[in-house]
């Protein structure tokens, strides 16, 4: 073997690994549940499978690169012009594309931490610099501190609402106040991957914000409420120049025809989908109340998951959860994120809510 002398860019070697949620480990006599990736536990609605299957049969053909029918469906659904839309291979791809299109090497990207683990990876992949602003003790964005962290080098600020993994969502009032502080040359990404689950008062009205603030881009996904995680399709809404920049750096044919068809069919089946979302929100309330009445301090949960700030007990808790047949997502030394799943899976979590795990 000839020794290699090719070298990736210097910071590529330091990019942290993305650790995907682990699958459940089956145990004799115990159904195992995966609560580690914030997936939707429901199967797709029947019309969705049929729409996707009809495209599977054309797998020898490239998909519509312009996502024409999907853009038309999204434009009709949200009352936005098609020029303001960009679809991609999951909303995580949109985040990569935004950083690629807006950051020069060394530019700063401000975001809350802990937040979505792909952010530091995507920032490094764009050769930009992460500026992480700690979330508050109750897992909320500290938007004042984030505004104060903006420098001449800041090109992008990211607001994850609801925040993965800690749970709270920012209010419309707070986000507006933040946008009034941020210089208009800084792109503000509002990551709304879990927006359909938000039930707090004064929720963010992102579609109104992006019209008022041309530096706002909203990212959303079909992976969570719509239950299409495996098909990889997300979309961004922004004023036309930002949306055009996103499309310009997109991977050609990145969104498969199967994903486009399933996304359109899911939009058509929204009434039924949102009944399921409502059921998940009901389960979230039940889990939150159960955990809190067992003495656990759990932050507000506005996504399809709860955050257990277990500190040093995190890995022990994750192991105990695994024994009990639920796979959770541990962040060592910090806490565990547990998705809201089937009622039986949620019951297992509540049975585990033993005060012995609580940090002393
Ligand atoms: N944003 C947040 C906050 C997320 O939690 C996730 C998925 N875990 C994503 C974006 C990306 O989702 P997808 O690429 O499946 O659309």
């Amino acid at each position: 073997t000839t020794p290699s002398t090719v070298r990736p860019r210097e910071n590529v070697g330091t990019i942290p690994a993305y650790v995907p949620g682990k699958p459940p480990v089956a145990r004799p006599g115990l159904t195992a549940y995966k609560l580690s990736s914030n997936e939707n536990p429901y199967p797709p609605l029947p019309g969705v499978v049929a729409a996707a299957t009809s495209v599977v049969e054309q797998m020898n053909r490239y998909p519509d690169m312009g996502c024409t029918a999907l853009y038309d469906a999204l434009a009709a659904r949200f009352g936005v012009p098609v020029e303001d839309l960009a679809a991609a291979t999951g909303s995580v791809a949109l985040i990569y594309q935004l950083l690629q299109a807006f950051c020069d090497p060394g530019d700063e990207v401000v975001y809350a931490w802990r937040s979505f683990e792909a952010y530091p990876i995507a920032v490094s992949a764009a050769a930009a610099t992460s500026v992480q602003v700690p979330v508050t003790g109750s897992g909320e964005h500290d938007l004042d501190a984030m505004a104060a962290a903006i420098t001449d080098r800041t090109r992008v600020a990211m607001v994850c609402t609801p925040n993965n993994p800690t749970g709270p969502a920012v209010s419309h009032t707070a986000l507006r106040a933040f946008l009034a502080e941020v210089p208009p040359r800084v792109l503000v990404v509002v990551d709304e991957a879990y927006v359909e689950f938000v039930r707090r008062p004064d929720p963010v009205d992102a579609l109104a914000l992006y019209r008022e603030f041309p530096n706002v881009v909203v990212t959303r996904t079909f992976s969570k409420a719509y239950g299409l995680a495996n098909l990889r399709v997300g979309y961004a809404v922004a004023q036309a120049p930002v949306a055009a920049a996103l499309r310009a750096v997109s991977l050609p044919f990145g969104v498969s025809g199967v994903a486009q068809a399933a996304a359109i069919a899911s939009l058509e089946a929204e009434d039924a989908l949102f009944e399921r979302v409502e059921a998940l929100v009901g389960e979230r309330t039940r889990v939150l109340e159960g955990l809190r009445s067992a003495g656990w301090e759990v932050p507000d949960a506005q996504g399809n998951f709860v955050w257990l700030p277990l500190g040093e007990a995190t890995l022990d808790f994750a192991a105990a959860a695994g024994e009990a047949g639920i796979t959770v997502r541990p962040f060592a030394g910090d806490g565990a994120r547990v998705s809201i799943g089937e009622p039986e899976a949620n019951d297992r979590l509540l049975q585990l809510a033993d005060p012995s795990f609580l940090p002393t």
Side-chain angles (χ1 to χ4, degrees):
T1 307
T2 309
S4 172
T5 52
V6 292
R7 293 279 175 270
R9 221 175 45 220
E10 198 184 326
N11 75 330
V12 171
T14 65
I15 294 178
Y18 189 113
V19 184
K22 294 202 172 49
V25 182
R27 281 167 219 280
L30 188 68
T31 313
Y33 295 98
K34 184 178 176 215
L35 301 180
S36 51
S37 298
N38 295 346
E39 292 152 337
N40 192 320
Y42 292 102
L45 293 163
V48 177
V49 171
T53 307
S54 70
V55 186
V56 169
E57 286 163 9
Q58 303 155 39
M59 65 170 76
N60 54 316
R61 300 289 176 194
Y62 281 101
D64 170 16
M65 196 171 122
C67 298
T68 324
L70 177 58
Y71 287 156
D72 286 346
L74 287 167
R77 166 69 178 82
F78 295 110
V80 298
V82 286
E83 298 77 33
D84 294 3
L85 290 164
T89 317
S91 59
V92 73
L94 292 162
I95 291 160
Y96 274 67
Q97 287 167 223
L98 283 165
L99 297 170
Q100 197 186 342
F102 285 85
C103 292
D104 286 311
D107 280 345
E108 292 172 1
V109 181
V110 171
Y111 57 92
W113 198 251
R114 180 176 294 278
S115 189
F116 182 29
E117 71 172 308
Y119 294 165
I121 301 174
V123 170
S124 294
T129 302
S130 282
V131 176
Q132 300 183 336
V133 178
V135 294
T136 68
S138 50
E140 293 178 25
H141 276 51
D142 186 342
L143 291 173
D144 289 339
M146 286 175 67
I150 288 170
T151 71
D152 291 346
R153 283 311 295 268
T154 309
R155 298 296 302 274
V156 178
M158 300 203 282
V159 177
C160 185
T161 177
N163 189 46
N164 169 17
T166 61
V170 306
S171 70
H172 190 74
T173 309
L175 190 54
R176 261 193 122 274
F178 176 70
L179 290 167
E181 289 292 312
V182 173
R185 61 175 172 81
V186 174
L187 183 77
V188 178
V189 183
V190 182
D191 181 343
E192 291 199 322
Y194 303 95
V195 65
E196 297 85 1
F197 299 100
V198 172
R199 296 293 180 272
R200 65 157 294 154
D202 189 22
V204 168
D205 179 0
L207 300 184
L209 282 178
Y210 96 87
R211 291 197 176 97
E212 183 179 350
F213 296 93
N215 57 330
V216 166
V217 51
V218 183
T219 59
R220 292 185 179 170
T221 182
F222 283 95
S223 298
K224 307 296 179 180
Y226 292 85
L228 302 181
N230 203 336
L231 294 183
R232 315 301 305 123
V233 53
Y235 62 96
V237 191
Q239 289 198 17
V242 174
L246 266 176
R247 292 193 303 270
V249 297
S250 66
L251 199 65
F253 306 106
V255 185
S256 76
V258 177
Q260 293 179 41
I264 293 165
S266 297
L267 288 170
E268 286 164 3
E270 259 189 350
D271 289 349
L273 268 179
F274 286 158
E275 271 175 40
R276 296 174 171 189
V277 169
E278 214 46 57
L280 290 169
V281 168
E283 280 293 287
R284 177 181 78 195
T285 305
R286 183 173 78 89
V287 167
L288 211 54
E289 285 171 0
L291 292 171
R292 285 175 174 166
S293 61
W296 290 42
E297 272 180 38
V298 185
D300 188 26
Q302 292 290 320
N304 62 341
F305 54 90
V306 292
W307 172 245
L308 310 177
L310 290 160
E312 295 309 317
T314 298
L315 293 185
D316 287 347
F317 174 82
E323 290 296 321
I326 56 173
T327 314
V328 305
R329 180 74 170 82
F331 297 93
D334 197 355
R337 189 194 69 198
V338 190
S339 311
I340 301 298
E342 299 85 344
E344 161 69 16
N346 305 331
D347 286 345
R348 299 259 183 93
L349 171 63
L350 290 173
Q351 283 153 16
L352 275 172
D354 187 301
S356 66
F357 285 111
L358 293 177
T360 47

